[in-house]
Amino acid sequence: MGSAGLKSRKNARLEDIARQAGVSISTVSRALNDSPAVKRRTKQEIWKIAREHDYDFRTNMPNGPVGAEATIAVIVPAPQARETRVADPFFLELLAGIAEAARERNADLVISHVFPRSAEDLEFAMTTSRATGMIFIGQSSLHHAFNTLSDTNDRFVVWGAEFGDARYCTVGSDNVAGGKRATSHLLRLGRKRVLFLGDTEAPEAEQRHRGYRIAHTEAGVPLDDSLALPAHFDVHSGEATTRAAIERGIEFDAVFAASDLIAIGAIRALTKSGRSVPSDVSVVGYDNIPAARLVTPRLTTIDQDTNLAGRMLVSKLIDTQGAQAASERLETSLLIRESCGG
């Protein structure tokens, strides 16, 4: 690389950068546009020179540090009727899996501030981002909007529920099988009135509830619709909903919660009401977040492999080469701990 200095920061031009870098003007232009035709070390040196002299090229720079092979943006659509929380434990576990997979592929990861609530928001996010591709965490109510988006754009993949008419790539656990596995275990323990807690407007919770219903049918245990109560994916909602069920006199001897946070809230409400877990009421959650191993009693739960999920999401985003990747379901497993009593 050459060592001749630039005339001044104010008058820096492509030819000045090219002279100091010891390359052609066309190479500088391609490098500042992050062209794959320029070697990484050359590109890094040109970026460094341009930055030192305040050359206005940042609209063409990648989103992360120089040298990354790709930039992946993670976006969380707005859940129905509530605000999402980046601090949600399952989201953090899944994000860690994505981050590790991205690092293995020499890709940068950014969490977008965008909070899409409509098809227009999705289109805006895709058309204005400089990221190589996007991972959306959850469909919320945007399934049909994702279908529409897939007609014109394939630079995204979604963590979420599986729909038969989906035209976009999704990765997620088999929610129906997971819900069935959790409920069947409670019924095998001799529990007869299993309270389901979850917001069935959310696609994944609806599918877990579907598994709950299938388990009852296959076990020959009558379904009671009064035992299915809406609860958002947080501790306070789980506790409030369970407390309300107790106060209304709803009889139940088990709880299947659509998330571990809801289950932990249910255990709090049961304990405060004087009911013992699991002697009086068995509890099973879903997600296997770290807190599930730390609460008392330790929570029986359905495990989703977030490390594998992260690798799948990143691979399907990066390796498709312009073709839509096939959706895929992760198997779930039941981790039996103290909260169910068997």
Side-chain angles (χ1 to χ4, degrees):
M1 297 289 177
S3 58
L6 300 182
K7 295 179 180 179
S8 71
R9 295 188 176 212
K10 183 176 180 180
N11 297 319
R13 301 170 301 171
L14 288 181
E15 47 264 56
D16 298 322
I17 298 172
R19 183 170 57 254
Q20 181 167 337
V23 298
S24 67
I25 294 174
S26 60
T27 296
V28 172
S29 178
R30 286 193 292 268
L32 295 181
N33 283 279
D34 194 26
S35 169
V38 181
K39 292 181 180 179
R40 184 191 305 172
R41 289 182 63 85
T42 301
K43 198 183 296 184
Q44 290 173 331
E45 179 66 18
I46 291 170
W47 286 344
K48 180 174 181 290
I49 294 170
R51 185 183 297 106
E52 288 174 348
H53 295 274
D54 294 333
Y55 187 85
D56 184 17
F57 71 105
R58 298 181 188 279
T59 57
N60 298 316
M61 279 285 287
N63 287 325
V66 297
E69 298 294 335
T71 300
I72 299 171
V74 174
I75 297 179
V76 185
Q80 296 93 332
R82 68 190 189 282
E83 297 297 310
T84 191
R85 292 195 56 188
V86 174
D88 179 278
F90 179 74
F91 171 81
L92 294 177
E93 288 284 297
L94 182 57
L95 184 63
I98 295 170
E100 287 300 323
R103 176 182 291 176
E104 291 172 3
R105 305 299 297 271
N106 197 33
D108 284 326
L109 188 70
V110 297
I111 300 176
S112 176
H113 72 283
V114 176
F115 198 50
R117 299 176 181 271
S118 65
E120 291 76 16
D121 290 345
L122 291 181
E123 182 68 23
F124 176 82
M126 294 300 298
T127 56
T128 60
S129 173
R130 300 197 309 274
T132 309
M134 296 186 180
I135 296 174
F136 292 92
I137 306 299
Q139 289 116 324
S140 185
S141 59
L142 299 176
H143 165 60
H144 296 297
F146 279 121
N147 265 347
T148 300
L149 183 64
S150 71
D151 293 337
T152 58
N153 202 308
D154 57 17
R155 293 188 303 116
F156 73 96
V157 63
V158 178
W159 166 268
E162 182 178 28
F163 291 90
D165 64 341
R167 301 196 299 271
Y168 56 95
C169 176
T170 63
V171 174
S173 74
D174 189 334
N175 292 293
V176 176
K180 176 184 173 183
R181 181 171 288 114
T183 309
S184 294
H185 179 68
L186 291 168
L187 296 174
R188 283 195 298 269
L189 292 175
R191 302 300 184 174
K192 298 298 183 183
R193 293 184 60 79
V194 181
L195 187 69
F196 176 84
L197 301 178
D199 180 5
T200 54
E201 290 186 5
E204 290 174 294
E206 187 279 326
Q207 292 183 354
R208 293 166 195 178
H209 180 247
R210 196 185 312 165
Y212 162 92
R213 297 179 67 87
I214 292 171
H216 279 79
T217 300
E218 292 186 355
V221 177
L223 279 162
D224 183 346
D225 290 339
S226 70
L227 292 174
L229 301 178
H232 295 318
F233 284 57
D234 63 69
V235 172
H236 298 300
S237 182
E239 182 175 1
T241 303
T242 305
R243 183 175 62 248
I246 294 170
E247 292 173 351
R248 287 163 51 191
I250 296 176
E251 295 183 6
F252 60 95
D253 54 12
V255 172
F256 168 43
S259 79
D260 287 346
L261 291 179
I262 297 173
I264 291 170
I267 291 174
R268 288 178 55 169
L270 290 164
T271 301
K272 290 178 181 178
S273 72
R275 301 192 185 191
S276 173
V277 178
S279 297
D280 298 325
V281 181
S282 296
V283 179
V284 177
Y286 203 111
D287 285 338
N288 190 32
I289 63 174
R293 301 185 292 273
L294 303 176
V295 295
T296 303
R298 295 193 306 158
L299 182 62
T300 295
T301 186
I302 296 293
D303 180 53
Q304 303 182 87
D305 190 338
T306 51
N307 287 326
L308 177 58
R311 290 197 297 274
M312 282 187 176
L313 288 164
V314 172
S315 175
K316 290 180 182 296
L317 189 64
I318 291 179
D319 296 337
T320 53
Q321 298 181 346
Q324 181 179 301
S327 295
E328 197 157 352
R329 296 304 100 191
L330 281 69
E331 293 186 3
T332 58
S333 58
L334 177 67
L335 300 181
I336 299 175
R337 302 189 179 110
E338 291 90 344
S339 69
C340 66

Short mmCIF file of all heavy atoms in Angstrom, two decimals, residues 1-7 11-32 42 45-47 49-50 53 55:
data_model
loop_
_atom_site.label_atom_id
_atom_site.label_comp_id
_atom_site.label_asym_id
_atom_site.label_seq_id
_atom_site.Cartn_x
_atom_site.Cartn_y
_atom_site.Cartn_z
N MET A 1 0.83 -1.20 0.00
CA MET A 1 0.00 0.00 0.00
C MET A 1 0.87 1.25 0.00
O MET A 1 1.91 1.29 0.68
CB MET A 1 -0.90 0.02 1.24
CG MET A 1 -1.90 -1.14 1.30
SD MET A 1 -3.20 -0.93 0.07
CE MET A 1 -4.13 -2.44 0.33
N GLY A 2 0.47 2.29 -0.71
CA GLY A 2 1.23 3.52 -0.76
C GLY A 2 1.12 4.31 0.51
O GLY A 2 0.28 4.05 1.36
N SER A 3 1.96 5.35 0.67
CA SER A 3 1.97 6.12 1.91
C SER A 3 1.74 7.60 1.68
O SER A 3 1.82 8.39 2.62
CB SER A 3 3.32 5.92 2.63
OG SER A 3 4.37 6.32 1.79
N ALA A 4 1.50 8.03 0.43
CA ALA A 4 1.28 9.46 0.18
C ALA A 4 0.04 9.95 0.90
O ALA A 4 -1.00 9.31 0.86
CB ALA A 4 1.14 9.71 -1.32
N GLY A 5 0.14 11.12 1.55
CA GLY A 5 -0.98 11.63 2.31
C GLY A 5 -2.03 12.27 1.44
O GLY A 5 -1.77 12.65 0.30
N LEU A 6 -3.24 12.42 1.98
CA LEU A 6 -4.30 13.14 1.28
C LEU A 6 -4.10 14.63 1.45
O LEU A 6 -3.52 15.09 2.44
CB LEU A 6 -5.66 12.71 1.83
CG LEU A 6 -6.00 11.24 1.72
CD1 LEU A 6 -7.41 11.01 2.26
CD2 LEU A 6 -5.92 10.75 0.29
N LYS A 7 -4.61 15.41 0.49
CA LYS A 7 -4.42 16.86 0.55
C LYS A 7 -5.07 17.45 1.79
O LYS A 7 -4.48 18.24 2.51
CB LYS A 7 -5.00 17.51 -0.72
CG LYS A 7 -4.24 17.11 -1.99
CD LYS A 7 -4.87 17.76 -3.22
CE LYS A 7 -4.14 17.36 -4.48
NZ LYS A 7 -4.76 17.96 -5.69
N ASN A 11 -11.18 17.95 1.11
CA ASN A 11 -11.08 17.76 -0.34
C ASN A 11 -10.77 16.31 -0.72
O ASN A 11 -10.34 16.06 -1.85
CB ASN A 11 -9.99 18.68 -0.90
CG ASN A 11 -10.34 20.15 -0.70
OD1 ASN A 11 -11.49 20.53 -0.88
ND2 ASN A 11 -9.35 20.95 -0.34
N ALA A 12 -10.95 15.37 0.19
CA ALA A 12 -10.63 13.97 -0.11
C ALA A 12 -11.49 13.47 -1.26
O ALA A 12 -12.70 13.68 -1.29
CB ALA A 12 -10.87 13.12 1.14
N ARG A 13 -10.82 12.84 -2.25
CA ARG A 13 -11.50 12.30 -3.41
C ARG A 13 -11.12 10.84 -3.59
O ARG A 13 -10.18 10.35 -2.97
CB ARG A 13 -11.12 13.10 -4.65
CG ARG A 13 -11.46 14.59 -4.59
CD ARG A 13 -10.83 15.34 -5.75
NE ARG A 13 -9.36 15.18 -5.72
CZ ARG A 13 -8.55 15.58 -6.70
NH1 ARG A 13 -9.07 16.16 -7.78
NH2 ARG A 13 -7.25 15.40 -6.59
N LEU A 14 -11.85 10.14 -4.48
CA LEU A 14 -11.54 8.73 -4.74
C LEU A 14 -10.09 8.57 -5.19
O LEU A 14 -9.39 7.65 -4.76
CB LEU A 14 -12.48 8.17 -5.80
CG LEU A 14 -13.94 7.92 -5.40
CD1 LEU A 14 -14.70 7.33 -6.59
CD2 LEU A 14 -14.03 6.97 -4.21
N GLU A 15 -9.62 9.47 -6.08
CA GLU A 15 -8.26 9.34 -6.57
C GLU A 15 -7.23 9.55 -5.47
O GLU A 15 -6.14 8.95 -5.50
CB GLU A 15 -8.00 10.29 -7.75
CG GLU A 15 -8.49 11.71 -7.53
CD GLU A 15 -9.86 11.95 -8.14
OE1 GLU A 15 -10.78 11.19 -7.76
OE2 GLU A 15 -10.02 12.87 -8.98
N ASP A 16 -7.56 10.40 -4.47
CA ASP A 16 -6.65 10.59 -3.34
C ASP A 16 -6.54 9.32 -2.52
O ASP A 16 -5.44 8.91 -2.11
CB ASP A 16 -7.16 11.73 -2.45
CG ASP A 16 -7.21 13.07 -3.19
OD1 ASP A 16 -6.30 13.33 -4.01
OD2 ASP A 16 -8.17 13.83 -2.96
N ILE A 17 -7.70 8.69 -2.24
CA ILE A 17 -7.70 7.44 -1.47
C ILE A 17 -6.96 6.36 -2.25
O ILE A 17 -6.17 5.59 -1.69
CB ILE A 17 -9.14 7.00 -1.16
CG1 ILE A 17 -9.83 8.05 -0.29
CG2 ILE A 17 -9.15 5.65 -0.46
CD1 ILE A 17 -11.32 7.78 -0.08
N ALA A 18 -7.18 6.31 -3.57
CA ALA A 18 -6.53 5.30 -4.41
C ALA A 18 -5.01 5.48 -4.38
O ALA A 18 -4.26 4.49 -4.30
CB ALA A 18 -7.05 5.41 -5.84
N ARG A 19 -4.54 6.74 -4.44
CA ARG A 19 -3.10 6.99 -4.42
C ARG A 19 -2.48 6.55 -3.10
O ARG A 19 -1.44 5.90 -3.08
CB ARG A 19 -2.83 8.48 -4.67
CG ARG A 19 -1.34 8.81 -4.75
CD ARG A 19 -1.09 10.23 -5.22
NE ARG A 19 -1.76 11.22 -4.39
CZ ARG A 19 -2.84 11.88 -4.76
NH1 ARG A 19 -3.40 11.65 -5.94
NH2 ARG A 19 -3.38 12.79 -3.95
N GLN A 20 -3.13 6.87 -1.96
CA GLN A 20 -2.57 6.47 -0.67
C GLN A 20 -2.62 4.96 -0.48
O GLN A 20 -1.71 4.37 0.09
CB GLN A 20 -3.32 7.15 0.48
CG GLN A 20 -2.74 6.77 1.84
CD GLN A 20 -3.25 7.66 2.95
OE1 GLN A 20 -3.69 8.78 2.71
NE2 GLN A 20 -3.18 7.16 4.17
N ALA A 21 -3.68 4.33 -1.02
CA ALA A 21 -3.81 2.88 -0.85
C ALA A 21 -2.97 2.11 -1.87
O ALA A 21 -2.74 0.91 -1.70
CB ALA A 21 -5.28 2.47 -0.98
N GLY A 22 -2.54 2.79 -2.94
CA GLY A 22 -1.73 2.11 -3.94
C GLY A 22 -2.55 1.21 -4.84
O GLY A 22 -2.06 0.17 -5.30
N VAL A 23 -3.82 1.58 -5.08
CA VAL A 23 -4.70 0.78 -5.94
C VAL A 23 -5.37 1.71 -6.94
O VAL A 23 -5.21 2.93 -6.91
CB VAL A 23 -5.78 0.05 -5.10
CG1 VAL A 23 -5.13 -0.93 -4.12
CG2 VAL A 23 -6.67 1.05 -4.35
N SER A 24 -6.15 1.10 -7.85
CA SER A 24 -6.84 1.90 -8.86
C SER A 24 -8.08 2.56 -8.27
O SER A 24 -8.60 2.15 -7.23
CB SER A 24 -7.25 1.01 -10.03
OG SER A 24 -8.24 0.09 -9.62
N ILE A 25 -8.56 3.60 -8.97
CA ILE A 25 -9.77 4.28 -8.55
C ILE A 25 -10.97 3.33 -8.57
O ILE A 25 -11.82 3.35 -7.69
CB ILE A 25 -10.05 5.51 -9.44
CG1 ILE A 25 -8.95 6.57 -9.23
CG2 ILE A 25 -11.41 6.13 -9.14
CD1 ILE A 25 -9.07 7.76 -10.19
N SER A 26 -11.02 2.47 -9.59
CA SER A 26 -12.14 1.51 -9.67
C SER A 26 -12.12 0.54 -8.50
O SER A 26 -13.18 0.15 -7.99
CB SER A 26 -12.09 0.75 -10.99
OG SER A 26 -10.87 0.01 -11.11
N THR A 27 -10.93 0.15 -8.04
CA THR A 27 -10.85 -0.74 -6.87
C THR A 27 -11.36 -0.02 -5.63
O THR A 27 -12.09 -0.61 -4.82
CB THR A 27 -9.40 -1.19 -6.64
OG1 THR A 27 -8.97 -1.98 -7.76
CG2 THR A 27 -9.27 -2.03 -5.37
N VAL A 28 -11.02 1.25 -5.47
CA VAL A 28 -11.53 2.03 -4.34
C VAL A 28 -13.04 2.10 -4.39
O VAL A 28 -13.74 1.90 -3.38
CB VAL A 28 -10.92 3.45 -4.33
CG1 VAL A 28 -11.61 4.31 -3.27
CG2 VAL A 28 -9.44 3.38 -4.06
N SER A 29 -13.59 2.38 -5.56
CA SER A 29 -15.05 2.49 -5.70
C SER A 29 -15.74 1.19 -5.32
O SER A 29 -16.73 1.19 -4.59
CB SER A 29 -15.40 2.87 -7.13
OG SER A 29 -16.80 2.94 -7.31
N ARG A 30 -15.19 0.08 -5.82
CA ARG A 30 -15.80 -1.23 -5.49
C ARG A 30 -15.67 -1.52 -4.00
O ARG A 30 -16.60 -2.04 -3.37
CB ARG A 30 -15.15 -2.33 -6.31
CG ARG A 30 -15.58 -2.34 -7.77
CD ARG A 30 -15.16 -3.62 -8.46
NE ARG A 30 -13.71 -3.71 -8.60
CZ ARG A 30 -13.04 -3.30 -9.67
NH1 ARG A 30 -13.69 -2.75 -10.70
NH2 ARG A 30 -11.72 -3.42 -9.73
N ALA A 31 -14.53 -1.18 -3.41
CA ALA A 31 -14.32 -1.45 -1.98
C ALA A 31 -15.29 -0.65 -1.12
O ALA A 31 -15.84 -1.17 -0.14
CB ALA A 31 -12.88 -1.13 -1.59
N LEU A 32 -15.50 0.62 -1.48
CA LEU A 32 -16.40 1.46 -0.69
C LEU A 32 -17.85 1.04 -0.83
O LEU A 32 -18.69 1.40 -0.01
CB LEU A 32 -16.24 2.93 -1.10
CG LEU A 32 -14.87 3.56 -0.82
CD1 LEU A 32 -14.85 5.02 -1.23
CD2 LEU A 32 -14.49 3.40 0.65
N THR A 42 -7.60 -5.73 1.38
CA THR A 42 -7.57 -4.49 0.60
C THR A 42 -8.76 -3.61 0.96
O THR A 42 -8.63 -2.39 1.15
CB THR A 42 -7.59 -4.80 -0.90
OG1 THR A 42 -6.46 -5.62 -1.23
CG2 THR A 42 -7.55 -3.52 -1.73
N GLU A 45 -8.24 -1.93 4.33
CA GLU A 45 -7.29 -0.82 4.28
C GLU A 45 -7.92 0.42 3.66
O GLU A 45 -7.74 1.55 4.15
CB GLU A 45 -6.05 -1.25 3.49
CG GLU A 45 -4.99 -0.16 3.35
CD GLU A 45 -4.34 0.23 4.67
OE1 GLU A 45 -4.46 -0.55 5.64
OE2 GLU A 45 -3.73 1.31 4.73
N ILE A 46 -8.69 0.22 2.59
CA ILE A 46 -9.35 1.36 1.94
C ILE A 46 -10.39 1.99 2.87
O ILE A 46 -10.49 3.22 2.97
CB ILE A 46 -9.98 0.90 0.61
CG1 ILE A 46 -8.87 0.55 -0.39
CG2 ILE A 46 -10.92 1.96 0.04
CD1 ILE A 46 -9.38 -0.13 -1.65
N TRP A 47 -11.17 1.16 3.55
CA TRP A 47 -12.15 1.69 4.51
C TRP A 47 -11.45 2.49 5.61
O TRP A 47 -11.93 3.54 6.04
CB TRP A 47 -12.93 0.53 5.13
CG TRP A 47 -13.94 -0.08 4.22
CD1 TRP A 47 -14.44 0.43 3.05
CD2 TRP A 47 -14.58 -1.34 4.39
NE1 TRP A 47 -15.34 -0.44 2.49
CE2 TRP A 47 -15.45 -1.52 3.29
CE3 TRP A 47 -14.51 -2.35 5.35
CZ2 TRP A 47 -16.24 -2.66 3.14
CZ3 TRP A 47 -15.29 -3.48 5.21
CH2 TRP A 47 -16.14 -3.64 4.11
N ILE A 49 -8.56 4.09 5.48
CA ILE A 49 -8.10 5.39 4.95
C ILE A 49 -9.27 6.35 4.80
O ILE A 49 -9.21 7.52 5.18
CB ILE A 49 -7.38 5.18 3.61
CG1 ILE A 49 -6.08 4.38 3.82
CG2 ILE A 49 -7.09 6.52 2.94
CD1 ILE A 49 -5.45 3.92 2.52
N ALA A 50 -10.38 5.85 4.23
CA ALA A 50 -11.55 6.70 4.02
C ALA A 50 -12.10 7.21 5.35
O ALA A 50 -12.50 8.39 5.46
CB ALA A 50 -12.62 5.92 3.27
N HIS A 53 -10.12 10.04 6.99
CA HIS A 53 -10.23 11.35 6.32
C HIS A 53 -11.67 11.76 6.08
O HIS A 53 -11.95 12.60 5.23
CB HIS A 53 -9.44 11.32 5.01
CG HIS A 53 -7.97 11.15 5.22
ND1 HIS A 53 -7.11 12.20 5.46
CD2 HIS A 53 -7.22 10.02 5.29
CE1 HIS A 53 -5.89 11.73 5.65
NE2 HIS A 53 -5.92 10.42 5.54
N TYR A 55 -14.17 10.60 4.64
CA TYR A 55 -14.79 10.46 3.33
C TYR A 55 -16.20 9.89 3.51
O TYR A 55 -16.40 8.94 4.24
CB TYR A 55 -13.96 9.53 2.43
CG TYR A 55 -14.47 9.48 1.00
CD1 TYR A 55 -14.09 10.43 0.07
CD2 TYR A 55 -15.36 8.48 0.62
CE1 TYR A 55 -14.57 10.39 -1.23
CE2 TYR A 55 -15.85 8.43 -0.68
CZ TYR A 55 -15.45 9.40 -1.60
OH TYR A 55 -15.93 9.34 -2.88
#
